[in-house]
Structure formats: structure tokens, C-alpha cells
């Protein structure tokens, strides 16, 4: 079989390995502190609003840490997210990909 670590994340969940605290919903961004096993791991921000986006970002932080991605790279990525980049898979993707034909041909 294939082995992979299981990481637990949560905001209010007792016993979660990765948690978010000091969550501030500001007009232009959401800021939060990430803790790993109760120890401060970093401060993050994202322009995405809502507690569900904090949870999604927390899961991304945990996954990135397990994969060995540098914290600063994760911080930059989360800070650069937009709803458009999430919908299209990358920032400004509409400028890089031609629109599909309307008649269904390829």
C-alpha cells in the first residue's frame, strides 16, 4: 500500500494538529495565525472572505507543510488568491487561454 500522513485541521476542534487563531476579517483581507501542535507556525492573510476560506487555507497550509513547501511560498500564494484564480485555476487565466468555440468544435 501507499503511506501518507494524516493531518487534522480545525478552528474550534479540540485536538486538531493544525489550528487557526486570532482570525481577523478586515475589509480587504482576512488575517489569521496558524498553530501546529499548539506552537505558532506563522501569520497568514488572504483576500478571500469567510470562515470557510480560513478553513480551506488552513488545510492548504497543512498540506504544503507536509510536502515540504516553504512557509514564505505558502504565505505568498494565499495572499495572492482571488475568486477568479480559484474559478479558473490560475491568476488571470482568461488572458492566457483562448475562449472555447461556441459551436462545440475543437
Amino acid at each position: 500500500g501507499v503511506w501518507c500522513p494524516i493531518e487534522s485541521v480545525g478552528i474550534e476542534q479540540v485536538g486538531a494538529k493544525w489550528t487557526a487563531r486570532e482570525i481577523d476579517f478586515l475589509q480587504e483581507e482576512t488575517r489569521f495565525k496558524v498553530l501546529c501542535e499548539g506552537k505558532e507556525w506563522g501569520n497568514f492573510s488572504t483576500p478571500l472572505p469567510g470562515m470557510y476560506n480560513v478553513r480551506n487555507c488552513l488545510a492548504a497550509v497543512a498540506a504544503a507543510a507536509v510536502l515540504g513547501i516553504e512557509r514564505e511560498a505558502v504565505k505568498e500564494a494565499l495572499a495572492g488568491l482571488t475568486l477568479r484564480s480559484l474559478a479558473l485555476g490560475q491568476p488571470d487565466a482568461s488572458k492566457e487561454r483562448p475562449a472555447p468555440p461556441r459551436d462545440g468544435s475543437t
Side-chain angles (χ1 to χ4, degrees), residues 20-71:
R21 297 286 187 264
E22 299 178 24
I23 302 165
D24 292 320
F25 296 103
L26 306 173
Q27 184 151 352
E28 297 294 320
E29 67 182 359
T30 302
R31 296 180 187 166
F32 55 97
K33 180 178 290 188
V34 172
L35 303 169
C36 180
E37 296 180 324
K39 296 178 185 172
E40 186 173 334
W41 201 80
N43 293 303
F44 293 82
S45 67
T46 182
L48 302 177
M51 187 62 79
Y52 62 96
N53 280 314
V54 174
R55 287 184 183 98
N56 290 340
C57 288
L58 182 59
V61 167
V66 169
L67 293 171
I69 298 171
E70 294 182 20
R71 289 179 211 195

